[in-house]
Amino acid sequence: MIDILAVCAHPDDLEVCAAGIFAKAKEEGMKTGLVICTRGESGGYAQKREREEEAAEAARILQLDYFAMLDFPDAGVYFSKEAVDALIPHLRKCSPRFVLTLLEEDYHPDHTAVSKITKAACFTAGLKKYSDDDTDWHYDALLFFGADNRTNRRRPDIYVDISDVIETKKRACMAHSSQDVLPYAMSLAREYGRDAKTEYAEGLFLGHSITVDSLSDLMRKKSGV
């Protein structure tokens, strides 16, 4: 079972938005995974194979326990039954407690589509007809991250301090050398860090309320923040 599974549209979406969260999860002993819906072949001038290799290297840096790339066309992902059905086997195989994906309000049409696909797949994968071993799967929470706060003016509901794992985030971003995403990723981490009154942070958005069983989960552990 995977504790946290991300579903992204492109190679580098996770690294820009949530590499620090995934690095912290590994440090805390959690199992992590990633499904990427396209090979990113429309990003810049990189060939599909180059982007695949970059994504695999970033997955190695983040020590992902599960990694898969689907083959929907970059800049051509649409919400459809075919797309939902393609994601369901990965959800069933990983049985994640938490699913993270892109905000539907994000600027890129692929991000919007993948957000809708993920929400539908999370619901449908929990139905008995999609179980091949008579087991149930229901996620604890579906959370979202945004790749562009210029078009999405909503502020995160949860900030995660990633200052202690920022070097891992940098290395994961640098693995995508054909895209030069590091400057933007760091700018976003610094901006969210200012919001969170820490050096670097990443943001998560809630689609619905969540329940915690320990008040300590809500308490800041750093004084003066």
Side-chain angles (χ1 to χ4, degrees), residues 63-78:
Q63 302 178 60
L64 299 179
D65 298 283
Y66 186 85
F67 175 67
M69 299 185 78
L70 307 184
D71 206 19
F72 288 97
D74 187 9
V77 184
Y78 300 99

Side-chain angles (χ1 to χ4, degrees), residues 10-29:
H10 312 107
D12 75 30
D13 288 343
L14 177 66
E15 289 72 23
V16 169
C17 300
I21 291 170
F22 274 63
K24 288 181 80 77
K26 289 303 295 184
E27 286 192 350
E28 294 175 15

Side-chain angles (χ1 to χ4, degrees), residues 25-44:
K26 289 303 295 184
E27 286 192 350
E28 294 175 15
M30 297 182 187
K31 289 188 176 181
T32 58
L34 168 64
V35 177
I36 305 173
C37 292
T38 79
R39 306 297 171 115
E41 67 274 8
S42 296

